[in-house]
Amino acid sequence: MFPLEKPLSADETARTIALGDRIVPYVLRRARRRTIGLTIDHRGLRVGAPPRASIKEVEALILHHGAWVANKLDEWRTRRPAEALKVIDGLHLPLLGGTLEVRLSVGANRALWSAQTPPVLTLLLRAPDDAAQVLERALRRRATELFAERLSLFAAQMALHLPPLSLSSARTRWGSCSRRSGIRLNWRLIHFPPHIVDYVVVHELAHLHEMNHSPRFWAVVEQHYPDHRRARGELKLLAATCPRW
């Protein structure tokens, strides 16, 4: 199971710290790194620290940057949600590490992919209001073709029977795995580079060996996708830019 905003992993701990008269929750993550680092995003304050760093050292750094932490948390709290993307003629969308141009025309609610590079997708519409539906249907079909290909490739490499594939449009997960129903992948992964798709595919297939996020699970992932740590971090960044309409 691969959520967009995952529950805490084995190397993460939820803690709180007092900044003046304000109690600030944060997540402490132990990792192979040399220094203590602070990051703030929509999830709040997150701290990365080497295994040997003491809580006293961690919280001394937070307190030293207390004003910055408070300001950034307030900025995120008051930030307006991004406006929904409008499907218009000439819209550009990320697609597998490149850019897709969307053109609108009149037709019977179907989509035509060009053979050129970068690709152009023409939506032939009965009415302008149908654009989002026709666009999503076209991207889902492209996603199904790609995901099926990558799933077949990695299942063979991992000595697994090819599991059933279905698409998800979940707002909270990039993928999930069940021994009974197979692999579900979020169709919006089509917006991300191919190596990110491969990482999520390997991640979900690894659950057929280990239905957890234990060290043995991550050992399986690393065997078949050695750069998984970098891909995991990149996916978190890309998630914030994923188009939604």
Side-chain angles (χ1 to χ4, degrees):
M1 193 162 52
F2 198 101
L4 287 176
E5 294 184 24
K6 301 189 343 179
L8 297 184
S9 60
D11 56 0
E12 294 179 328
T13 306
R15 300 184 61 87
T16 60
I17 185 172
L19 297 180
D21 58 355
R22 178 175 184 172
I23 301 300
V24 174
Y26 70 95
V27 172
L28 173 61
R29 180 174 183 269
R30 300 291 185 174
R32 294 178 181 177
R33 53 184 298 155
R34 296 180 180 178
T35 60
I36 302 170
L38 310 180
T39 59
I40 295 174
D41 58 18
H42 62 286
R43 299 167 297 179
L45 173 61
R46 303 179 77 83
V47 183
R52 294 184 179 180
S54 67
I55 296 298
K56 183 177 180 180
E57 291 173 310
V58 168
E59 298 201 337
L61 183 68
I62 298 174
L63 291 170
H64 180 72
H65 296 283
W68 176 84
V69 170
N71 289 337
K72 287 297 181 182
L73 288 173
D74 289 340
E75 286 179 13
W76 274 101
R77 192 170 290 112
T78 58
R79 184 173 295 186
R80 294 180 179 179
E83 293 184 3
L85 189 70
K86 295 181 180 179
V87 182
I88 59 174
D89 189 60
L91 173 67
H92 286 82
L93 293 173
L95 180 77
L96 296 174
T99 301
L100 170 69
E101 182 179 354
V102 178
R103 307 297 302 184
L104 304 186
S105 189
V106 178
N109 277 8
R110 61 193 184 96
L112 295 177
W113 290 89
S114 74
Q116 67 193 70
T117 303
V120 174
L121 178 61
T122 302
L123 307 180
L124 305 173
L125 306 172
R126 295 191 183 98
D129 289 346
D130 295 334
Q133 178 184 2
V134 177
L135 174 59
E136 180 175 332
R137 188 166 62 225
L139 292 176
R140 280 175 170 267
R141 287 175 179 168
R142 180 61 62 93
T144 299
E145 295 170 0
L146 174 66
F147 298 170
E149 174 192 329
R150 306 314 290 171
L151 196 66
S152 177
L153 173 68
F154 284 107
Q157 290 183 10
M158 300 169 74
L160 292 166
H161 292 294
L162 184 63
L165 168 67
S166 59
L167 296 186
S168 164
S169 57
R171 297 291 183 181
T172 58
R173 300 190 190 282
W174 289 121
S176 62
C177 173
S178 166
R179 288 196 174 98
R180 182 177 62 182
S181 58
I183 302 292
R184 287 175 61 82
L185 298 175
N186 195 315
W187 68 266
R188 292 184 177 87
L189 286 167
I190 197 71
H191 290 303
F192 301 157
H195 67 275
I196 297 298
V197 175
D198 285 352
Y199 165 58
V200 177
V201 168
V202 170
H203 184 114
E204 298 307 333
L205 283 171
H207 280 306
L208 294 176
H209 287 290
E210 296 287 337
M211 294 297 289
N212 50 54
H213 287 102
S214 66
R216 287 188 298 179
F217 165 81
W218 288 110
V220 174
V221 175
E222 185 158 8
Q223 180 182 357
H224 298 281
Y225 198 102
D227 205 21
H228 65 90
R229 291 180 182 86
R230 179 178 298 180
R232 183 183 180 189
E234 186 177 348
L235 178 56
K236 288 182 178 179
L237 295 176
L238 289 170
T241 68
C242 186
R244 296 185 185 275
W245 55 85

